[in-house]
Amino acid sequence: MKKHLIFASLLLSSILSVAQTADDPVVMTVAGVDVPRSEFEYSYNKNNTDGVIDKKSVEEYVELFINYKLKVRAAQDQRIDTTTAFKTEFAQYRDQQIRPTFVTDADMLEEAHKVYDDYVQRVGADGLVRASHILVLVPQKATKEQQEAAKVRIDSIYDALKAGADFAALARKVSQCPSAAKGGDLNWFARKQMVKEFEDAAFALQKGEMSKPVLSPFGWHIILLTDRKQVEPFEFHQSSIMRFLEQRGVRDHITDQKLTALANQSNGTLTKEQILEQRADSMAAADINLRYLIKEYHDGLLLYEVSNQNVWDKAAKDEQGLERYFKKNKKKYKWDEPRFKGMAYHVKTQEDVKAVADCVKKLKFDDWNEALRTTFNNDSVIRIRVEKGLFKKGDNKLIDRDVFKVADVKVDSVKGYPIDATYGKLLKKPQDYTDVRGLVVADLQEELEKQWVAELRKRYSFSVNEEVLKTVNKHE
């Protein structure tokens, strides 16, 4: 069986290769890999729709696409695509497209009939009834006096109903069940959905008939049967059953069953994962958009991981590199107005105002939080409330009033902490990279990205077929 699959795969590859050269010419070659025009068109058209703000021309997009392909090749050379984590994540993305194809409309209809038939069987020959009730609760361990009082109350309610009182209005007024808000209405129910005493009494009534007081484990009930019916035909419930099946993930369940059956039929030569892979290959060969969507999943995951390693995480975690970059480019980082680097805090006693300042004055700014927590808030008694950060005017009312000297600022008091204070420095410009960390990280990432792309363009060869490029989106 494996030999047949390998032969079929080779034959399919040969057919696709011929088709590519005849109707889908190579638009570029990147790192030794030919890129068919259709792949470039798929990527260009998807990323340059009418709603895109920074829409690129075909010529502009070529450079971006080459960079993309070079990064993917670098990831492959780093063997990222051979790791278990990558294979697992890629399979999950791919299978989102493939798994649903194992389930047909007929499969779902069959499951819906099973649900309906089971429902009909559970409802039984007595069908469904709709009832309203009035409940007078009797506690499980009620005293004799409580039991007698409940019986007197339900009897008086029953007498009022017999005298012509409106059932729904009285239920809203006196019933001790949550259904009281709806006039006692319990909606439709079948047998075995209520306690036996209530069920027997309700199903014994005719439509419009009211029961005498009925005792159940909950207390005393008076029941009014408002309607009864048999279960409607399947078609009546079909849409709601279908929604129920979708919400319960029945498609996934059917797919798992079919994959297990196919794996068993192969006598151990195929796993469920291999069956999914074969289905993906077969569908991709027949549907060019699906082929490139799956490739997009594959290459996109590679791009993310290799970019993380070479640019994003590399910059974000390189504290020394960030510091060097900041010192070299200080002129880039200016503020249009001063910032206060410190804290606004609230304490219970005047002594703690100085104690808080003394606690942090010799520490690095990043170490303040831990020092304050262990010194002042390390047990069940919370001595201070603190907001620490880099503040500009308008960020904090207390800092606006005491540091920026903004007039007519009303500072909201903190309950239990009547004394307000601030501690820190007023800065006209950033002191170090941590004051503008987000900007420095972004700039360093951009620099690393440029250096990396330049290195990739030296490492790998690439070429563009200009004649084919001219035909992008302009061929029959």
Side-chain angles (χ1 to χ4, degrees):
M1 182 176 181
K2 284 184 177 178
K3 290 182 179 179
H4 288 304
L5 290 171
I6 293 171
F7 175 76
S9 178
L10 290 173
L11 180 61
L12 180 60
S13 297
S14 175
I15 292 171
L16 289 175
S17 176
V18 172
Q20 178 177 305
T21 56
D23 302 317
D24 195 7
V26 172
V27 71
M28 66 180 69
T29 302
V30 182
V33 178
D34 290 339
V35 177
R37 181 177 59 193
S38 60
E39 181 182 352
F40 179 80
E41 286 179 334
Y42 172 87
S43 181
Y44 174 78
N45 293 333
K46 186 168 185 177
N47 290 288
N48 289 276
T49 59
D50 290 337
V52 173
I53 296 174
D54 187 19
K55 195 171 182 179
K56 304 292 184 184
S57 67
V58 170
E59 291 72 19
E60 290 172 329
Y61 192 71
V62 166
E63 295 305 308
L64 297 174
F65 190 79
I66 289 173
N67 293 344
Y68 168 70
K69 284 294 185 179
L70 290 172
K71 293 173 187 177
V72 171
R73 175 58 185 269
Q76 291 169 329
D77 285 351
Q78 290 178 221
R79 299 181 62 78
I80 293 174
D81 55 340
T82 66
T83 64
T84 300
F86 173 84
K87 290 179 178 178
T88 300
E89 190 170 6
F90 168 61
Q92 289 174 347
Y93 279 107
R94 179 201 66 199
D95 293 348
Q96 288 175 4
Q97 304 296 321
I98 305 306
R99 284 178 60 89
T101 66
F102 284 87
V103 183
T104 66
D105 290 344
D107 292 328
M108 293 299 290
L109 192 61
E110 182 180 351
E111 290 297 317
H113 274 290
K114 289 179 183 177
V115 170
Y116 175 79
D117 292 343
D118 178 66
Y119 175 58
V120 171
Q121 186 174 2
R122 283 187 288 107
V123 167
D126 287 339
L128 298 156
V129 296
R130 185 165 190 167
S132 297
H133 81 139
I134 294 173
L135 170 65
V136 174
L137 289 170
V138 179
Q140 287 188 346
K141 295 182 180 180
T143 63
K144 184 176 181 181
E145 288 76 12
Q146 288 175 314
Q147 294 175 16
E148 289 175 350
K151 183 65 169 71
V152 169
R153 183 167 176 76
I154 198 70
D155 284 343
S156 67
I157 294 170
Y158 182 64
D159 289 340
L161 291 169
K162 287 196 299 181
D166 181 77
F167 193 97
L170 196 55
R172 289 188 184 93
K173 185 177 180 180
V174 304
S175 180
Q176 294 175 293
C177 175
S179 65
K182 299 183 293 183
D185 180 36
L186 296 171
N187 216 323
W188 295 98
F189 60 91
R191 284 195 176 274
K192 299 183 180 178
Q193 289 184 260
M194 302 290 185
V195 292
K196 189 175 187 306
E197 296 84 354
F198 187 97
E199 174 193 307
D200 288 345
F203 276 88
L205 297 172
Q206 297 299 315
K207 181 177 177 179
E209 188 178 2
M210 184 178 72
S211 73
K212 293 180 179 180
V214 176
L215 183 63
S216 83
F218 295 101
W220 287 99
H221 310 260
I222 300 172
I223 306 166
L224 174 66
L225 194 77
T226 55
D227 207 351
R228 67 189 312 154
K229 66 179 180 181
Q230 294 297 318
V231 178
E232 297 88 351
F234 170 77
E235 290 73 19
F236 181 86
H237 294 282
Q238 183 175 349
S239 60
S240 60
I241 295 174
M242 286 296 191
R243 285 195 299 272
F244 168 78
L245 293 177
E246 296 291 355
Q247 292 167 359
R248 293 292 296 271
V250 170
R251 285 184 182 274
D252 269 344
H253 179 66
I254 296 172
T255 300
D256 287 334
Q257 287 182 325
K258 288 193 174 186
L259 287 171
T260 299
L262 289 170
N264 291 337
Q265 290 169 16
S266 74
N267 296 319
T269 61
L270 291 173
T271 65
K272 291 193 287 186
E273 291 72 22
Q274 288 171 325
I275 294 168
L276 280 165
E277 189 172 349
Q278 286 185 2
R279 173 66 72 94
D281 291 342
S282 174
M283 291 178 61
D287 184 345
I288 193 170
N289 287 324
L290 178 62
R291 183 194 318 165
Y292 290 138
L293 178 62
I294 292 175
K295 185 173 179 60
E296 185 179 7
Y297 287 151
H298 180 276
D299 292 354
L301 289 172
L302 286 179
L303 178 65
Y304 176 83
E305 185 58 37
V306 77
S307 297
N308 223 18
Q309 293 178 16
N310 288 276
V311 177
W312 303 332
D313 260 11
K314 185 176 180 180
K317 295 178 180 179
D318 184 4
E319 303 299 330
Q320 292 181 345
L322 291 167
E323 186 174 7
R324 285 194 302 270
Y325 189 89
F326 173 77
K327 288 180 178 179
K328 185 180 177 181
N329 300 276
K330 276 188 176 182
K331 293 181 180 179
K332 292 177 63 175
Y333 305 105
K334 296 180 180 179
W335 291 328
D336 54 357
E337 59 182 350
R339 303 286 196 274
F340 177 71
K341 187 176 184 178
M343 60 180 168
Y345 61 102
H346 314 273
V347 295
K348 296 174 180 288
T349 65
Q350 192 64 44
E351 291 79 8
D352 273 347
V353 173
K354 185 174 185 303
V356 169
D358 289 343
C359 176
V360 301
K361 65 182 180 181
K362 294 182 180 180
L363 298 177
K364 291 182 179 179
F365 188 65
D366 289 344
D367 297 332
W368 285 17
N369 282 342
E370 182 62 16
L372 292 171
R373 185 189 67 79
T374 55
T375 304
F376 297 96
N377 294 342
N378 202 28
D379 52 30
S380 59
V381 179
I382 306 299
R383 289 168 59 186
I384 61 171
R385 298 289 186 187
V386 182
E387 185 180 353
K388 167 183 167 286
L390 190 67
F391 302 89
K392 64 180 184 296
K393 194 181 296 183
D395 287 346
N396 181 283
K397 291 181 178 179
L398 177 57
I399 292 172
D400 282 351
R401 185 190 71 186
D402 292 0
V403 177
F404 293 119
K405 307 302 181 182
V406 178
D408 301 324
V409 175
K410 185 179 185 306
V411 177
D412 298 327
S413 61
V414 178
K415 186 178 181 181
Y417 301 84
I419 303 172
D420 305 322
T422 62
Y423 180 80
K425 294 180 180 179
L426 187 64
L427 306 177
K428 293 183 178 180
K429 60 183 179 179
Q431 281 188 321
D432 58 53
Y433 78 93
T434 60
D435 296 336
V436 281
R437 183 186 178 91
L439 295 173
V440 178
V441 168
D443 289 343
L444 181 56
Q445 286 174 339
E446 185 177 352
E447 182 171 281
L448 290 178
E449 168 85 10
K450 291 177 180 177
Q451 293 172 356
W452 182 39
V453 169
E455 189 273 325
L456 291 177
R457 283 176 168 253
K458 289 179 180 178
R459 188 194 312 174
Y460 302 110
S461 63
F462 55 90
S463 62
V464 178
N465 188 326
E466 297 293 343
E467 293 303 314
V468 174
L469 187 64
K470 293 176 183 177
T471 68
V472 168
N473 289 334
K474 296 177 182 177
H475 57 91
E476 291 296 331

